[in-house]
Amino acid sequence: MLADLQALYARDLAAVIRELEAYPDEASLWRVQGDIINPAGNLALHLIGNLSQFIGLELGGVPYERDRPAEFARRDVPRAELIAGLERVTAVVHDTLGRLEPTRLGEVNARQLPGFPDGMTTGFFLIHLHGHLNWHLGQMNYHRRLVTEE
């Protein structure tokens, strides 16, 4: 199961990077339009923060200090910086899952988060985090097509 999760995270984080690369210019990464208030740049920052905290720090002990409000407030971060952050978090996720003991998947997660079931397991949370990644990947794809009129 851990090898499967490693493969899925790697595949979909690579898709996020490809999505950022598909924007015609850096300005369009940050364009907002209509009710779409979270452009791709902010979604990328959010995914970096989310996975760095919940997988890197909490499961892997990789130091990380998250500033969640900045993930949605920052603007005009260069595409190269976003991609470098995504590449770093991809490596952190891969390494953390590679070191995780399979028995941890069935253990109750150390943190009880609002809106999650009591007794949530680490395996459940890892699956949730992957779904969260995919949700934002889809938003990025929609945003790109919207702002570039593809």
Side-chain angles (χ1 to χ4, degrees), residues 48-59 64 66 111:
I48 293 164
N50 177 271
L51 296 172
S52 294
Q53 177 185 355
F54 291 121
I55 295 180
L57 175 64
E58 294 190 11
L59 290 178
Y64 183 74
R66 187 172 185 189
R111 181 196 291 247

Side-chain angles (χ1 to χ4, degrees), residues 116-130:
F116 287 87
D118 290 337
M120 171 183 68
T121 65
T122 296
F124 179 99
F125 194 46
L126 285 169
I127 292 168
H128 161 79
L129 291 171
H130 182 258

